[in-house]
Every structure is written in C-alpha cells, then in structure tokens.
C-alpha cells in the first residue's frame, strides 16, 4: 500500500472543522465577555483562549484551525480584552509570550492529534486486513474439505474396477 494514503493533509478544510472552530471560539469570546462584566480585571482572557486553542486543535483535523485559533486569540486578547479596549497595543509586556504560548499549544496539540489519527487509521486498516485474511482462510478451508471428499470419491471410482452399482452410487 502506498505511503501517501496514510498522510493527513496539514491544512484540510471541512465544514465540520469550521463549525467546531466557530463554536468553540464563540464560546470563548462569550465567556470572556461575561467574565469582563463580572470582574474588571484583564487576566482571565488568556487562560480562556489558551483552552479554546487547545480544544480547537484537539477536535479539528490538521493545523489550519488550531493555528488560526492561536492567531485570532492573541489578536482578540490584545484588541478586545486588554486595556486600552478596542485598540491594538503591541507594547504590552506579555504580548510576545502570549502569542508564543498559544502558537505552541496549537502546534503541539495539532501534531499529537494528527499523529494519533494516523495511528488509529493504520490500526483500523490492519484490523481490516486481518479480518480479510481470516475470512479467506475460513472460506478456503470450508471449500477444501468438500473438494477433498469429492476428489477422493472420484479417484476411488476411477481406480477401483470391481465396485457394485450400489457402491458406485454411494461414492457419487
């Protein structure tokens, strides 16, 4: 079997993955908005979005949506949930670390998920091949047993001259 069949594309796009991305990302934004209303501090957004990046990377295929989640999370934290609100502030002391953390979480999770899915696909293909081999062995055995009896009876009919008509009919 060619190796290329087992490779998962790095940046696949499916609507399933897109909706997972939108759903988790929207929940993260909504949770941060609710926390912002309940508490005036800014420290809650980063952990919420790190969790969102982790979940998106875990439940989608490839690197596309995990990487996109990391980038949009850093932009969202900076633009929406950090003072001055609704403005970009690239002078924040933790900004590069936030981006690197989210990007790292995304890449590691996407890589692990992709590898696990590839291994699972290989395991399933191995199981299918085992089942196919067992089926062929079983069918071969089931066919070989009656064929052996038929060949034996035919050989007896051809090689033995003094058989009565009743014995010949029994062998037939």
């Amino acid at each position: 079997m060619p190796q290329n069949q087992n490779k998962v594309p790095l940046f696949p796009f499916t609507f399933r993955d897109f909706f997972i991305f939108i759903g988790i990302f929207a929940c993260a934004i909504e949770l941060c908005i609710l926390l912002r209303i309940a508490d005036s501090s800014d420290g809650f957004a980063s952990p919420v979005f790190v969790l969102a990046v982790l979940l998106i990377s875990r439940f989608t295929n490839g690197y596309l949506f995990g990487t996109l989640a990391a980038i949009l999370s850093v932009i969202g934290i900076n633009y929406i949930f950090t003072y001055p609100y609704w403005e970009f502030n690239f002078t924040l002391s933790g900004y590069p670390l936030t981006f690197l953390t989210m990007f790292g979480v995304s890449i590691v999770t996407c890589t692990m998920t992709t590898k696990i899915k590839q291994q699972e696909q290989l395991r399933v293909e191995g199981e299918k091949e085992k089942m196919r081999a067992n089926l062929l062995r079983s069918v071969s055995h089931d066919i070989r047993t009656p064929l052996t009896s038929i060949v034996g009876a035919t050989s007896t009919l051809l090689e033995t001259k003094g058989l009565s008509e009743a014995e010949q009919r029994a062998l037939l």
Side-chain angles (χ1 to χ4, degrees), residues 20-172:
I20 289 172
F21 165 76
I22 292 296
I24 293 173
F25 205 76
C27 287
I29 290 172
E30 186 65 31
L31 180 61
C32 286
I33 289 170
L34 291 173
L35 290 173
R36 180 78 180 116
I37 292 169
D39 185 9
S40 63
S41 67
D42 293 334
F44 55 81
S46 288
V48 169
F49 279 102
V50 167
L51 179 61
V53 168
L54 176 74
L55 292 174
I56 289 168
S57 299
R58 166 61 185 90
F59 292 113
T60 59
N61 294 317
Y63 294 86
L64 175 65
F65 291 107
T67 305
L68 186 62
I71 293 167
L72 291 179
S73 292
V74 173
I75 292 170
I77 289 170
N78 185 317
Y79 190 73
I80 301 171
F81 299 108
T82 307
Y83 185 82
Y85 304 108
W86 301 104
E87 293 180 21
F88 284 111
N89 183 2
F90 295 110
T91 62
L92 297 172
S93 61
Y95 188 74
L97 181 60
T98 301
F99 176 74
L100 290 175
T101 300
M102 298 231 190
F103 192 68
V105 165
S106 169
I107 296 301
V108 168
T109 307
C110 289
T111 302
M112 289 173 47
T113 302
T114 300
K115 294 289 183 194
I116 289 169
K117 288 177 183 176
Q118 286 175 342
Q119 289 174 351
E120 182 67 17
Q121 183 179 5
L122 288 174
R123 188 187 67 74
V124 167
E125 288 174 7
E127 290 293 322
K128 283 182 185 177
E129 186 60 32
K130 246 191 250 184
M131 287 175 51
R132 187 178 86 57
N134 286 339
L135 179 65
L136 285 174
R137 236 186 326 278
S138 175
V139 168
S140 172
H141 180 268
D142 290 348
I143 290 173
R144 195 176 319 133
T145 303
L147 284 177
T148 304
S149 299
I150 292 168
V151 168
T154 305
S155 296
T156 303
L157 279 172
L158 292 174
E159 295 172 1
T160 309
K161 298 291 181 202
L163 293 175
S164 67
E165 191 174 317
E167 292 173 324
Q168 287 178 357
R169 284 196 181 276
L171 288 173
L172 283 174

